[in-house]
Amino acid sequence: MQNKILLTEDQIPTQWYNIIPDLPSPPPPPLHPGTMQPIGPDDLAPLFPMALIMQEVTQDSYVDIPGGVLDVYRLWRPSPLFRAHRLEKALDTPARIYYKYEGVSPAGSHKPNTAVPQAYYNHQEGITKLTTETGAGQWGTALAFATAQYGIECEIWQVAASYRAKPYRRIMMEVYGATVHSSPSDITEYGRSLLAAYPDHPGSLGIAISEAVAAAVADPKTRYSLGSVLNHVLMHQTVIGEEALLQMAMVGETPDLLVGCTGGGSNFGGLAFPFLREKMAGRMNPVIRCVEPAACPSLTKGEYRYDFGDTAGMTPLLKMHTLGHDFIPPTIHAGGLRYHGMSPLVSHIYELGLAEAEAIPQTECFAGALTFARNEGILPAPEPTHAIAAAIREAKRCKETGEAKVILTALCGHGHLDLAAYENYLSGKMEDYELTEKELADAMSTVPVMA
Ligand SMILES: *Cc1c(COP(=O)(O)O)cnc(C)c1O
C-alpha cells in the first residue's frame, strides 16, 4: 500500500505553465483608475520588476524557470503527493483521496514557489528591498526566506489581528531578517489615519497592501511583492500541478474531482491549471472546485466587476469577484482567505464555467482538520482545512452512492504556527460567521461604478 508518491529532483518542472493562451477568451485587463484605460507596463514599473510585468502579460504558454530559481526550489521540491488511505478508512468511503503537500517548504506553505522567483527577478534588476503585506503570516515568512536567499531587504506589514494572535509568525520572519510592522501602522499616512479613528483596528489584507504599496512607490530601489491574485503569481504556482500530474500518472490515476481553497487563488490555480489544460485538451475530465470561507465568500456571493485590489484604492482596477474593497472580513482563523477579492484569472475561469465554487463555515473545516490530523498525522493550516472539508463532503457522498471517485486536494500548508486556532476549536469557542445581505450591500456600495 503506497502512501507517498515521490519524484526525484531532476523531475522538478523546468517551466511554469501560463493558462491564458489556452482559455476560450482572455481575462479582462487591469484598468488605470484615472483613465479607465488598460494599464501598460510602464504604469506598473514603480511596483514590480520588468521581468515580472512581462510575465503578467505574456502570451507564451510556458516560461522557463531560471537556474537560479531551480537551485532554491531544490531545497524542498518536488513535494510529495500522498494517498490518504487512513482518512479514507476512517470515513469508510470508496473514494480514493490524494493530497499534494506543500507544507514541506521552509515557510511551511506553497508561498515560496512564487516568493523565490519574485525575489530572484528583483535582485537581477538591482532592487535592494521588497515590501509586502501578510495576513496569516505565511506569505511574509515566504518572502522573508526568499529575500534572504538573494541578499535583499524585506519590510512586511502584517494584518494587526494576526500580528497580535501569531507572534511566532512575526518571529519567524525576523529570523529570516525581515522587518515586520503591525498594519495599520503609524509608518504610512493611510495607516495613521485609520489608527486615529480606531486605535484597535484589526486591519485587513486590503489595508496592509495599501501600506506596503505606499512604502514601495516612495523609494526607487524598493519594489512591492504580492503573494497571490496576479497572473504571474498563479503561473509560478503551477509547479504544484505539473508535479501532481506526473505523480498521479505514476499510480495510474486521473482525478474526478480537484478541490483547493481560494483566498486570492494561487494555491488553487497552481494545482488546478495544469489539470484544466488536460481537461480542455480532452485528456481527462475532473470537476474543478474552489472552496472559500462562508465568512468571506468572494466567488459565491461577491459580484464580478472592476474593483481595487487594496482598501485605499492605490492599485489598478481588477475585474474580479469582490465583496467591495473596504469590506473588512470577520477575523476568522484562516487569515490567508480573508481577502475581499479574488484573482482575476480564477474569477474569469469561474465565469467561463471551467471551475465551480462552494463556501464552508470554519467549524466544519476544523472538524474535518481534526479527522484529517488524527488519521493522516499532518496538522493542516486553517486555510486548506476548507479544501479538506470539501473533500470529506465528497467522500461522504461517495459512501452513499457507492462511487469510487478519485479526489485530489491541495494541502497547501501545515498549521504548526496556528495552534491557537485549534485551541479555540477544541475548547468549543469557535464561532461561524455568515455574511448578511446588508453587510454585502454596504460593502459593495463603495465599489466604483463603471460606465
Ligand atoms: C496564503 C495562503 C492561502 C491563501 O492564498 P491563495 O493565493 O488562495 O493560495 C491558502 N493557504 C495557505 C497555507 C496560505 O499560506
Side-chain angles (χ1 to χ4, degrees):
M1 216 168 63
Q2 190 175 0
N3 286 260
K4 297 190 299 305
I5 301 135
L6 301 172
L7 300 171
T8 57
E9 284 187 18
D10 58 7
Q11 290 173 297
I12 297 175
T14 55
Q15 295 184 312
W16 293 299
Y17 170 56
N18 174 25
I19 196 171
I20 294 173
D22 287 342
L23 293 174
S25 64
L31 301 183
H32 192 290
T35 62
M36 293 294 182
Q37 294 301 308
I39 49 165
D42 291 344
D43 296 318
L44 293 173
L47 287 182
F48 303 112
M50 212 29 90
L52 292 176
I53 295 172
M54 296 328 280
Q55 288 184 3
E56 188 64 20
V57 297
T58 184
Q59 286 301 313
D60 296 340
S61 294
Y62 293 91
V63 172
D64 287 339
I65 305 177
V69 171
L70 285 171
D71 279 347
V72 183
Y73 273 0
R74 270 189 279 274
L75 281 173
W76 74 95
R77 305 214 69 82
S79 71
L81 178 76
F82 285 85
R83 167 87 186 266
H85 289 294
R86 292 165 183 81
L87 178 65
E88 291 166 16
K89 191 152 174 271
L91 298 172
D92 190 24
T93 178
R96 300 196 290 283
I97 304 172
Y98 292 86
Y99 58 95
K100 177 75 168 156
Y101 185 44
E102 291 295 311
V104 293
S105 83
S109 76
H110 64 293
K111 296 277 178 25
N113 295 331
T114 184
V116 169
Q118 290 195 43
Y120 171 85
Y121 290 117
N122 275 287
H123 178 60
Q124 289 280 307
E125 295 186 25
I127 296 305
T128 55
K129 183 188 200 174
L130 287 177
T131 67
T132 198
E133 73 293 331
T134 194
Q138 287 277 16
W139 169 241
T141 311
L143 195 67
F145 153 71
T147 48
Q149 288 291 317
Y150 301 103
I152 54 184
E153 280 180 74
C154 187
E155 190 170 0
I156 300 167
W157 277 261
Q158 183 174 10
V159 175
S162 148
Y163 186 91
R164 290 171 207 147
K166 298 188 170 182
Y168 293 120
R169 271 284 165 206
R170 170 180 56 75
I171 296 164
M172 200 164 167
M173 293 182 256
E174 289 171 352
V175 167
Y176 286 128
T179 305
V180 187
H181 313 290
S182 175
S183 168
S185 74
D186 58 9
I187 293 168
T188 67
E189 205 181 307
Y190 182 55
R192 284 192 294 274
S193 73
L194 294 173
L195 286 176
Y198 184 4
D200 283 335
H201 202 301
S204 72
L205 272 174
I207 294 168
I209 294 173
S210 300
E211 293 203 277
V213 166
V217 297
D219 177 1
K221 282 287 198 188
T222 299
R223 292 288 180 275
Y224 165 71
S225 179
L226 188 62
S228 184
V229 176
L230 298 177
N231 298 343
H232 68 268
V233 178
L234 274 60
M235 185 182 78
H236 296 157
Q237 293 294 353
T238 58
V239 290
I240 303 173
E242 296 290 11
E243 286 179 5
L245 269 174
L246 293 177
Q247 289 162 312
M248 292 295 278
M250 280 166 74
V251 287
E253 296 269 46
T254 51
D256 298 303
L257 172 70
L258 187 156
V259 279
C261 68
T262 45
S266 76
N267 87 85
F268 166 80
L271 180 66
F273 289 174
F275 285 88
L276 191 49
R277 173 188 66 212
E278 300 302 304
K279 179 173 172 159
M280 289 187 292
R283 289 189 283 267
M284 56 176 70
N285 195 23
V287 168
I288 296 181
R289 188 174 296 154
C290 308
V291 194
E292 57 186 12
C296 192
S298 49
L299 279 171
T300 51
K301 292 227 174 123
E303 286 181 31
Y304 183 50
R305 52 169 155 169
Y306 275 101
D307 195 5
F308 292 105
D310 71 324
T311 304
M314 300 177 63
T315 68
L317 289 165
L318 304 172
K319 182 94 183 258
M320 62 181 175
H321 290 83
T322 179
L323 299 168
H325 59 275
D326 63 3
F327 173 65
I328 309 266
T331 52
I332 52 164
H333 291 287
L337 307 185
R338 280 183 74 226
Y339 182 59
H340 68 271
M342 180 50 60
S343 145
L345 195 45
V346 171
S347 292
H348 180 60
I349 281 168
Y350 179 67
E351 283 298 307
L352 289 171
L354 295 171
E356 49 186 64
E358 75 181 321
I360 302 187
Q362 65 175 349
T363 51
E364 180 181 339
C365 296
F366 275 84
L370 255 52
T371 306
F372 187 88
R374 287 172 187 175
N375 290 285
E376 294 298 315
I378 296 172
L379 196 143
E383 293 82 6
T385 65
H386 292 74
I388 289 168
I392 291 177
R393 279 185 179 184
E394 191 74 21
K396 287 182 174 166
R397 278 193 286 270
C398 287
K399 184 180 175 181
E400 273 161 31
T401 62
E403 285 171 285
K405 283 191 184 171
V406 175
I407 302 171
L408 172 62
T409 178
L411 181 49
C412 52
H414 67 65
H416 296 177
L417 297 182
D418 304 285
L419 292 174
Y422 280 89
E423 184 188 31
N424 189 247
Y425 178 76
L426 289 169
S427 64
K429 291 192 198 119
M430 188 177 284
E431 287 173 28
D432 284 328
Y433 305 89
E434 192 108 28
L435 186 65
T436 65
E437 294 298 320
K438 180 169 184 318
E439 282 166 334
L440 181 59
D442 286 352
M444 288 304 295
S445 68
T446 61
V447 175
V449 177
M450 304 288 295

